[in-house]
Amino acid sequence: MSDTPLDPVIHAQARLRVVAALSTLGPGDQIAFPRLQEILGMTAGNLSVHLRKLEDADYVEITKTHRGRTPVTLVALTHRGRGAFEEYTASVRALLQPPDIKEKT
Amino acid sequence: MSESFVDNDQPPGDPAEALRMIEEQRASAVRQIYVDDRWWFWPWGFAWLVGFGLIFLRFGPDGRVFVDLPDWLPTAVLVALIVAAGAISGVTGARAYGHLAGESAKRGAYYGWAWMITFTTMTVILVRISDRLPDDLQIMVWSATMVGLTGALHLAGGAIWLNRQLFTLGAWISVVNVAGVLAGPGWQALIMCIAGGGGMLAFGLFASHWHRRGRRA
Protein backbone atom coordinates (compact mmCIF):
# COMPACT_ATOMS: atom_id res chain seq x y z
CA MET A 1 0.00 0.00 0.00
CA SER A 2 1.38 3.33 -1.00
CA ASP A 3 -1.06 5.26 1.24
CA THR A 4 0.44 7.99 3.39
CA PRO A 5 0.60 6.97 7.07
CA LEU A 6 -2.31 8.06 9.24
CA ASP A 7 -1.87 11.39 11.04
CA PRO A 8 -0.19 10.38 14.35
CA VAL A 9 -1.73 13.30 16.24
CA ILE A 10 -5.28 12.07 15.59
CA HIS A 11 -4.42 8.37 15.33
CA ALA A 12 -4.80 7.83 19.08
CA GLN A 13 -8.12 6.76 20.56
CA ALA A 14 -8.64 9.63 22.96
CA ARG A 15 -7.64 12.40 20.55
CA LEU A 16 -9.65 10.87 17.76
CA ARG A 17 -12.71 11.03 19.98
CA VAL A 18 -11.96 14.63 20.99
CA VAL A 19 -11.60 15.72 17.38
CA ALA A 20 -14.67 13.73 16.26
CA ALA A 21 -16.79 15.40 18.96
CA LEU A 22 -15.47 18.87 18.10
CA SER A 23 -16.14 18.27 14.41
CA THR A 24 -19.89 18.34 15.09
CA LEU A 25 -19.70 22.02 16.04
CA GLY A 26 -20.28 24.57 13.31
CA PRO A 27 -17.19 26.36 11.97
CA GLY A 28 -16.59 29.40 14.16
CA ASP A 29 -18.17 27.73 17.22
CA GLN A 30 -16.49 26.97 20.52
CA ILE A 31 -17.60 24.69 23.32
CA ALA A 32 -17.05 25.10 27.05
CA PHE A 33 -14.43 22.73 28.49
CA PRO A 34 -16.68 21.09 31.14
CA ARG A 35 -19.35 20.36 28.53
CA LEU A 36 -16.79 18.75 26.22
CA GLN A 37 -15.52 16.73 29.15
CA GLU A 38 -19.05 15.56 29.90
CA ILE A 39 -19.66 14.56 26.28
CA LEU A 40 -16.44 12.57 26.10
CA GLY A 41 -16.67 11.09 29.59
CA MET A 42 -13.00 11.86 30.25
CA THR A 43 -11.41 13.24 33.38
CA ALA A 44 -10.41 16.90 33.29
CA GLY A 45 -6.73 16.01 33.60
CA ASN A 46 -6.83 13.48 30.81
CA LEU A 47 -8.74 15.79 28.49
CA SER A 48 -6.31 18.64 29.21
CA VAL A 49 -3.34 16.49 28.26
CA HIS A 50 -4.88 15.51 24.94
CA LEU A 51 -6.06 19.03 24.21
CA ARG A 52 -2.54 20.30 24.77
CA LYS A 53 -1.18 17.82 22.24
CA LEU A 54 -3.86 18.88 19.76
CA GLU A 55 -3.14 22.52 20.47
CA ASP A 56 0.59 21.97 19.87
CA ALA A 57 -0.28 20.57 16.45
CA ASP A 58 -2.46 23.65 15.85
CA TYR A 59 -5.55 21.42 15.47
CA VAL A 60 -7.40 22.91 18.40
CA GLU A 61 -7.71 26.44 19.68
CA ILE A 62 -8.19 27.05 23.38
CA THR A 63 -9.51 30.41 24.53
CA LYS A 64 -9.57 31.45 28.16
CA THR A 65 -12.12 34.15 28.82
CA HIS A 66 -14.68 35.34 31.36
CA ARG A 67 -18.41 35.10 31.42
CA GLY A 68 -19.35 37.72 33.97
CA ARG A 69 -16.81 36.93 36.67
CA THR A 70 -16.52 33.21 36.03
CA PRO A 71 -13.51 32.13 34.05
CA VAL A 72 -14.45 30.00 31.05
CA THR A 73 -12.25 27.82 28.87
CA LEU A 74 -13.52 27.44 25.34
CA VAL A 75 -12.36 24.80 22.90
CA ALA A 76 -12.69 24.77 19.13
CA LEU A 77 -11.34 22.86 16.20
CA THR A 78 -9.10 25.06 14.03
CA HIS A 79 -9.45 25.16 10.27
CA ARG A 80 -6.33 23.03 10.09
CA GLY A 81 -7.70 20.58 12.66
CA ARG A 82 -10.94 20.16 10.74
CA GLY A 83 -8.97 19.53 7.56
CA ALA A 84 -6.79 16.96 9.32
CA PHE A 85 -9.86 15.18 10.72
CA GLU A 86 -11.50 15.06 7.31
CA GLU A 87 -8.32 13.74 5.75
CA TYR A 88 -7.97 11.10 8.48
CA THR A 89 -11.56 9.96 8.00
CA ALA A 90 -11.07 9.79 4.24
CA SER A 91 -7.85 7.74 4.63
CA VAL A 92 -9.52 5.31 7.01
CA ARG A 93 -12.43 4.92 4.60
CA ALA A 94 -10.00 4.31 1.75
CA LEU A 95 -8.26 1.58 3.75
CA LEU A 96 -11.61 -0.12 4.25
CA GLN A 97 -12.55 -0.13 0.60
CA PRO A 98 -12.58 -3.55 -1.01
CA PRO A 99 -9.25 -4.16 -2.80
CA ASP A 100 -10.76 -4.41 -6.28
CA ILE A 101 -11.74 -0.73 -6.22
CA LYS A 102 -8.17 0.27 -5.52
CA GLU A 103 -5.68 0.58 -8.30
CA LYS A 104 -3.85 -2.66 -8.89
CA THR A 105 -0.07 -2.54 -9.03
CA MET B 1 -15.02 4.41 32.99
CA SER B 2 -11.83 5.21 34.81
CA GLU B 3 -10.14 6.46 31.72
CA SER B 4 -7.38 8.26 33.50
CA PHE B 5 -5.86 4.86 34.19
CA VAL B 6 -6.24 3.60 30.67
CA ASP B 7 -3.57 4.35 28.17
CA ASN B 8 -5.89 5.93 25.64
CA ASP B 9 -2.94 7.21 23.65
CA GLN B 10 -3.13 3.86 21.88
CA PRO B 11 -4.15 3.98 18.23
CA PRO B 12 -7.45 2.33 17.31
CA GLY B 13 -7.05 -1.37 16.58
CA ASP B 14 -7.75 -1.19 12.87
CA PRO B 15 -9.37 1.15 10.31
CA ALA B 16 -12.82 -0.35 10.92
CA GLU B 17 -12.52 0.37 14.62
CA ALA B 18 -11.29 3.91 13.92
CA LEU B 19 -14.27 4.60 11.70
CA ARG B 20 -16.66 3.11 14.24
CA MET B 21 -15.15 5.30 16.97
CA ILE B 22 -15.55 8.41 14.81
CA GLU B 23 -19.16 7.62 14.00
CA GLU B 24 -20.10 6.71 17.56
CA GLN B 25 -18.44 9.77 19.03
CA ARG B 26 -20.05 12.11 16.52
CA ALA B 27 -23.48 10.57 17.07
CA SER B 28 -23.08 10.80 20.83
CA ALA B 29 -21.90 14.44 20.64
CA VAL B 30 -24.84 15.37 18.41
CA ARG B 31 -27.24 13.67 20.82
CA GLN B 32 -25.80 15.57 23.75
CA ILE B 33 -25.18 18.97 22.16
CA TYR B 34 -28.20 19.59 19.97
CA VAL B 35 -31.60 19.97 21.51
CA ASP B 36 -34.46 18.20 19.82
CA ASP B 37 -36.29 20.50 17.38
CA ARG B 38 -39.60 19.50 18.90
CA TRP B 39 -38.71 21.69 21.87
CA TRP B 40 -38.77 24.71 19.54
CA PHE B 41 -41.97 24.00 17.65
CA TRP B 42 -44.32 21.92 19.76
CA PRO B 43 -45.04 24.46 22.52
CA TRP B 44 -46.05 27.02 19.86
CA GLY B 45 -48.05 24.51 17.86
CA PHE B 46 -49.87 23.41 21.01
CA ALA B 47 -50.56 27.04 22.00
CA TRP B 48 -52.09 27.81 18.59
CA LEU B 49 -54.03 24.57 18.40
CA VAL B 50 -55.67 24.99 21.80
CA GLY B 51 -55.85 28.81 21.94
CA PHE B 52 -57.31 29.36 18.47
CA GLY B 53 -59.48 26.28 18.91
CA LEU B 54 -61.13 27.86 21.96
CA ILE B 55 -61.50 31.19 20.14
CA PHE B 56 -63.27 29.44 17.30
CA LEU B 57 -65.62 27.62 19.68
CA ARG B 58 -66.53 30.82 21.52
CA PHE B 59 -66.39 33.38 18.68
CA GLY B 60 -67.41 31.36 15.63
CA PRO B 61 -68.16 32.72 12.15
CA ASP B 62 -71.09 35.20 11.95
CA GLY B 63 -71.25 35.55 15.70
CA ARG B 64 -72.04 31.88 16.32
CA VAL B 65 -71.22 30.45 19.74
CA PHE B 66 -70.43 26.73 19.62
CA VAL B 67 -69.46 26.47 23.27
CA ASP B 68 -70.60 29.14 25.70
CA LEU B 69 -67.28 29.86 27.38
CA PRO B 70 -66.72 33.07 29.36
CA ASP B 71 -65.74 35.92 26.96
CA TRP B 72 -62.29 36.36 28.40
CA LEU B 73 -61.32 32.72 28.57
CA PRO B 74 -60.19 31.85 25.01
CA THR B 75 -57.86 34.82 24.55
CA ALA B 76 -56.56 34.46 28.12
CA VAL B 77 -55.71 30.81 27.40
CA LEU B 78 -54.05 31.71 24.08
CA VAL B 79 -51.96 34.48 25.65
CA ALA B 80 -50.99 32.26 28.62
CA LEU B 81 -49.94 29.41 26.33
CA ILE B 82 -47.95 31.78 24.10
CA VAL B 83 -46.16 33.24 27.11
CA ALA B 84 -45.39 29.70 28.27
CA ALA B 85 -44.16 28.77 24.78
CA GLY B 86 -41.94 31.87 24.78
CA ALA B 87 -40.49 30.84 28.15
CA ILE B 88 -39.85 27.30 26.89
CA SER B 89 -38.11 28.74 23.81
CA GLY B 90 -35.92 30.81 26.12
CA VAL B 91 -34.92 27.77 28.15
CA THR B 92 -34.39 25.76 24.97
CA GLY B 93 -32.14 28.52 23.65
CA ALA B 94 -30.10 28.44 26.85
CA ARG B 95 -29.79 24.66 26.57
CA ALA B 96 -28.85 24.85 22.90
CA TYR B 97 -26.35 27.69 23.12
CA GLY B 98 -25.47 28.03 26.81
CA HIS B 99 -22.30 25.95 26.58
CA LEU B 100 -21.34 27.21 23.14
CA ALA B 101 -19.63 30.41 22.13
CA GLY B 102 -18.98 31.86 18.72
CA GLU B 103 -21.10 32.29 15.65
CA SER B 104 -23.99 29.94 16.41
CA ALA B 105 -24.42 31.29 19.90
CA LYS B 106 -24.44 34.87 18.60
CA ARG B 107 -26.96 34.05 15.92
CA GLY B 108 -29.16 32.34 18.48
CA ALA B 109 -28.94 35.26 20.89
CA TYR B 110 -29.63 37.91 18.23
CA TYR B 111 -32.51 35.88 16.89
CA GLY B 112 -33.99 35.54 20.37
CA TRP B 113 -33.74 39.30 20.88
CA ALA B 114 -35.33 39.90 17.48
CA TRP B 115 -38.41 37.95 18.65
CA MET B 116 -38.64 39.85 21.91
CA ILE B 117 -38.15 43.30 20.41
CA THR B 118 -40.54 42.85 17.49
CA PHE B 119 -43.27 41.26 19.61
CA THR B 120 -43.02 44.06 22.16
CA THR B 121 -43.22 46.65 19.37
CA MET B 122 -46.32 45.07 17.86
CA THR B 123 -47.99 44.72 21.25
CA VAL B 124 -47.52 48.42 21.97
CA ILE B 125 -48.94 49.39 18.57
CA LEU B 126 -51.94 47.08 18.90
CA VAL B 127 -52.75 48.15 22.46
CA ARG B 128 -52.78 51.72 21.18
CA ILE B 129 -55.27 51.06 18.36
CA SER B 130 -57.23 48.08 19.64
CA ASP B 131 -60.04 50.09 21.33
CA ARG B 132 -60.88 51.83 18.08
CA LEU B 133 -61.48 48.55 16.28
CA PRO B 134 -64.96 47.01 16.03
CA ASP B 135 -65.34 44.04 18.40
CA ASP B 136 -65.40 41.38 15.71
CA LEU B 137 -62.16 42.64 14.21
CA GLN B 138 -60.17 42.92 17.45
CA ILE B 139 -59.22 39.26 17.79
CA MET B 140 -58.60 38.97 14.07
CA VAL B 141 -56.28 41.96 13.85
CA TRP B 142 -54.31 40.92 16.95
CA SER B 143 -53.92 37.35 15.74
CA ALA B 144 -53.11 38.23 12.14
CA THR B 145 -50.47 40.77 13.15
CA MET B 146 -48.72 38.45 15.60
CA VAL B 147 -48.96 35.43 13.31
CA GLY B 148 -47.67 37.55 10.41
CA LEU B 149 -44.70 38.53 12.53
CA THR B 150 -44.11 34.90 13.48
CA GLY B 151 -44.13 33.96 9.81
CA ALA B 152 -41.67 36.75 8.97
CA LEU B 153 -39.30 35.71 11.76
CA HIS B 154 -39.34 32.09 10.61
CA LEU B 155 -38.56 33.26 7.07
CA ALA B 156 -35.67 35.28 8.50
CA GLY B 157 -34.54 32.23 10.52
CA GLY B 158 -34.43 30.25 7.30
CA ALA B 159 -32.21 32.95 5.79
CA ILE B 160 -29.91 33.13 8.84
CA TRP B 161 -29.30 29.38 9.10
CA LEU B 162 -29.74 28.71 5.38
CA ASN B 163 -32.41 26.26 6.43
CA ARG B 164 -34.94 25.58 3.71
CA GLN B 165 -37.36 23.79 6.02
CA LEU B 166 -37.51 26.72 8.42
CA PHE B 167 -38.01 29.09 5.51
CA THR B 168 -40.80 26.88 4.18
CA LEU B 169 -42.48 26.91 7.59
CA GLY B 170 -42.34 30.73 7.54
CA ALA B 171 -43.93 30.77 4.11
CA TRP B 172 -46.59 28.29 5.24
CA ILE B 173 -47.46 30.39 8.30
CA SER B 174 -47.68 33.51 6.12
CA VAL B 175 -49.99 31.83 3.60
CA VAL B 176 -52.20 30.36 6.32
CA ASN B 177 -52.37 33.77 7.97
CA VAL B 178 -53.50 35.51 4.78
CA ALA B 179 -56.03 32.73 4.14
CA GLY B 180 -57.42 33.27 7.65
CA VAL B 181 -57.72 37.02 7.17
CA LEU B 182 -59.49 36.57 3.84
CA ALA B 183 -61.85 34.01 5.36
CA GLY B 184 -62.78 36.53 8.07
CA PRO B 185 -63.38 36.48 11.85
CA GLY B 186 -64.29 33.07 13.23
CA TRP B 187 -63.00 31.09 10.29
CA GLN B 188 -59.63 32.65 10.85
CA ALA B 189 -59.43 31.06 14.30
CA LEU B 190 -60.34 27.65 12.86
CA ILE B 191 -57.74 27.96 10.10
CA MET B 192 -55.08 29.06 12.58
CA CYS B 193 -55.98 26.23 14.94
CA ILE B 194 -55.76 23.46 12.35
CA ALA B 195 -53.38 24.68 9.64
CA GLY B 196 -51.27 26.93 11.88
CA GLY B 197 -51.11 24.93 15.13
CA GLY B 198 -51.39 21.53 13.47
CA GLY B 199 -48.85 22.57 10.84
CA MET B 200 -46.38 23.66 13.50
CA LEU B 201 -46.76 20.36 15.38
CA ALA B 202 -46.25 18.35 12.20
CA PHE B 203 -43.26 20.49 11.26
CA GLY B 204 -41.66 19.93 14.67
CA LEU B 205 -41.93 16.20 14.19
CA PHE B 206 -40.38 16.26 10.71
CA ALA B 207 -37.69 18.82 11.64
CA SER B 208 -36.55 16.66 14.53
CA HIS B 209 -36.34 13.66 12.19
CA TRP B 210 -34.49 15.56 9.41
CA HIS B 211 -32.10 17.13 11.87
CA ARG B 212 -31.06 13.85 13.45
CA ARG B 213 -30.65 12.19 10.08
CA GLY B 214 -28.78 15.13 8.54
CA ARG B 215 -26.31 15.69 11.35
CA ARG B 216 -25.38 12.07 11.60
CA ALA B 217 -24.75 11.58 7.91
Side-chain angles (χ1 to χ4, degrees):
Chain A
M1 266 188 299
S2 62
D3 295 351
T4 46
L6 292 165
D7 187 337
V9 181
I10 304 184
H11 193 52
Q13 296 184 19
R15 290 193 294 279
L16 181 58
R17 288 179 54 221
V18 172
V19 174
L22 289 175
S23 74
T24 61
L25 299 178
D29 282 350
Q30 302 160 297
I31 189 165
F33 182 94
R35 191 78 181 91
L36 180 63
Q37 194 197 328
E38 204 175 278
I39 288 165
L40 294 164
M42 289 184 183
T43 62
N46 200 346
L47 180 56
S48 299
V49 169
H50 291 296
L51 282 177
R52 203 164 306 134
K53 286 185 187 171
L54 289 165
E55 200 185 14
D56 289 343
D58 197 18
Y59 285 1
V60 153
E61 191 180 33
I62 294 169
T63 318
K64 291 190 191 286
T65 174
H66 287 265
R67 235 176 228 177
R69 291 196 177 168
T70 340
V72 190
T73 303
L74 298 167
V75 185
L77 210 53
T78 60
H79 191 64
R80 197 181 139 106
R82 194 173 290 272
F85 173 68
E86 275 160 17
E87 204 169 299
Y88 180 90
T89 312
S91 315
V92 166
R93 283 223 165 90
L95 287 172
L96 286 171
Q97 266 175 7
D100 57 301
I101 299 180
K102 282 190 185 171
E103 264 184 285
K104 286 184 182 122
T105 42
Chain B
M1 268 198 297
S2 57
E3 269 184 295
S4 50
F5 299 102
V6 177
D7 180 10
N8 51 14
D9 234 351
Q10 289 286 323
D14 55 57
E17 196 195 330
L19 200 61
R20 203 180 55 242
M21 279 180 67
I22 291 172
E23 277 161 6
E24 281 176 9
Q25 189 58 65
R26 279 180 58 90
S28 141
V30 166
R31 243 191 341 266
Q32 294 181 72
I33 293 174
Y34 297 98
V35 298
D36 195 308
D37 286 296
R38 279 173 285 192
W39 282 103
W40 292 116
F41 299 107
W42 280 12
W44 295 94
F46 180 75
W48 285 8
L49 190 78
V50 174
F52 284 116
L54 291 179
I55 290 176
F56 174 73
L57 292 177
R58 174 62 186 81
F59 305 102
D62 310 317
R64 264 177 286 172
V65 177
F66 297 103
V67 179
D68 194 11
L69 301 162
D71 280 5
W72 54 269
L73 186 73
T75 32
V77 169
L78 178 64
V79 170
L81 287 175
I82 283 177
V83 169
I88 293 173
S89 288
V91 173
T92 305
R95 276 175 57 209
Y97 300 116
H99 53 267
L100 291 181
E103 287 175 19
S104 299
K106 270 187 206 150
R107 277 182 201 176
Y110 290 169
Y111 191 57
W113 280 108
W115 278 81
M116 295 229 270
I117 294 167
T118 51
F119 268 87
T120 308
T121 308
M122 284 305 172
T123 306
V124 171
I125 295 171
L126 287 172
V127 165
R128 195 90 171 80
I129 63 164
S130 196
D131 286 347
R132 308 269 180 97
L133 292 171
D135 281 353
D136 63 329
L137 280 183
Q138 278 192 8
I139 291 178
M140 197 179 88
V141 169
W142 270 92
S143 318
T145 310
M146 294 311 193
V147 171
L149 187 54
T150 305
L153 284 164
H154 280 99
L155 289 168
I160 294 164
W161 284 281
L162 291 179
N163 181 327
R164 197 162 51 107
Q165 283 103 21
L166 196 57
F167 190 84
T168 311
L169 176 65
W172 170 254
I173 292 171
S174 306
V175 169
V176 166
N177 193 31
V178 170
V181 171
L182 295 179
W187 293 118
Q188 183 217 20
L190 183 64
I191 290 172
M192 281 315 303
C193 162
I194 294 170
M200 192 82 103
L201 291 176
F203 181 84
L205 191 63
F206 289 128
S208 158
H209 179 67
W210 290 322
H211 201 150
R212 274 176 294 166
R213 243 189 13 191
R215 291 272 188 187
R216 231 166 259 187

